[in-house]
Amino acid sequence: ALITSAQTVVDLTSLQPADDRYEAAIRNAITWLGNSGRTVNIRLVFGAFPIQGAVDAKAILQSLTRDLPTSSRVTVSVGNYRSSNLPPSWNHSKIIAIDGFDAFVGGHNLWTGHYLNIEPVHDLSIRLRGPAARDGHHFADAQWRWTCANRTWITRWTSSPRIQPR
């Protein structure tokens, strides 16, 4: 519901991409916005961290936009953020920011097995409205500036950043 409330911009940052039920919910929200007639820019940036590996930006973009109508005025971008290998540094934030006014921030990952099944992980997250919510976009802006300006072998290998083709 938060994503579908967007009038112009959605920023989503997370450690790893959404899976299973979370992925379906985000895809449905993107599709709904695509059918709404609104012009909305959606940016999703994920961490590229050791152990779990890098994010396949091209595959995520294809999955999340597969049901978007060709006439849609929604643009979706997916990126991997990793600022260095030594010492390793990657995105670990969890933010959903909408239109500079509404945000959901906290410790929540978008993992079905950890949060929606038996014995879920308990993280603390909060919904913010007003000027404090704008900071989610400022943080995402900084992540995107780095991601676009400092492509590494990891981001090239994973097609990051990737913007929905028109």
Side-chain angles (χ1 to χ4, degrees):
L2 185 60
I3 293 173
T4 61
S5 73
Q7 299 298 310
T8 58
V9 65
V10 174
D11 277 316
L12 187 151
T13 71
S14 187
L15 176 61
Q16 287 283 281
D19 71 5
D20 197 19
R21 289 164 51 194
Y22 284 105
E23 180 182 19
I26 293 169
R27 179 185 311 108
N28 289 343
I30 290 170
T31 302
W32 191 92
L33 284 171
N35 286 307
S36 73
R38 298 179 199 153
T39 302
V40 180
N41 182 24
I42 301 171
R43 302 183 303 178
L44 302 100
V45 65
F46 303 105
F49 68 105
I51 303 168
Q52 293 262 330
V55 173
D56 185 342
K58 183 177 180 181
I60 293 166
L61 182 64
Q62 288 173 340
S63 175
L64 293 178
T65 61
R66 74 172 192 212
D67 300 328
L68 262 180
T70 54
S71 61
S72 169
R73 297 188 328 204
V74 170
T75 302
V76 182
S77 306
V78 177
N80 262 324
Y81 177 89
R82 184 165 179 175
S83 66
S84 67
N85 291 321
L86 293 171
S89 180
W90 55 89
N91 175 56
H92 196 271
S93 64
K94 284 84 172 191
I95 300 168
I96 303 172
I98 309 295
D99 296 329
F101 178 76
D102 210 349
F104 188 70
V105 300
H108 57 278
N109 289 297
L110 302 169
W111 301 336
T112 300
H114 289 81
Y115 293 87
L116 299 178
N117 290 338
I118 297 171
E119 298 183 19
V121 172
H122 297 284
D123 272 323
L124 181 63
S125 299
I126 188 170
R127 186 166 180 183
L128 304 167
R129 288 190 171 147
R134 198 169 312 129
D135 288 336
H137 293 296
H138 294 312
F139 183 83
D141 287 343
Q143 297 267 298
W144 274 100
R145 275 193 303 276
W146 176 268
T147 297
C148 292
N150 297 282
R151 297 200 61 213
T152 66
W153 70 270
I154 291 172
T155 57
R156 283 182 174 78
W157 177 61
T158 60
S159 301
S160 172
R162 185 63 134 196
I163 299 171
Q164 168 198 1
R166 285 279 175 204

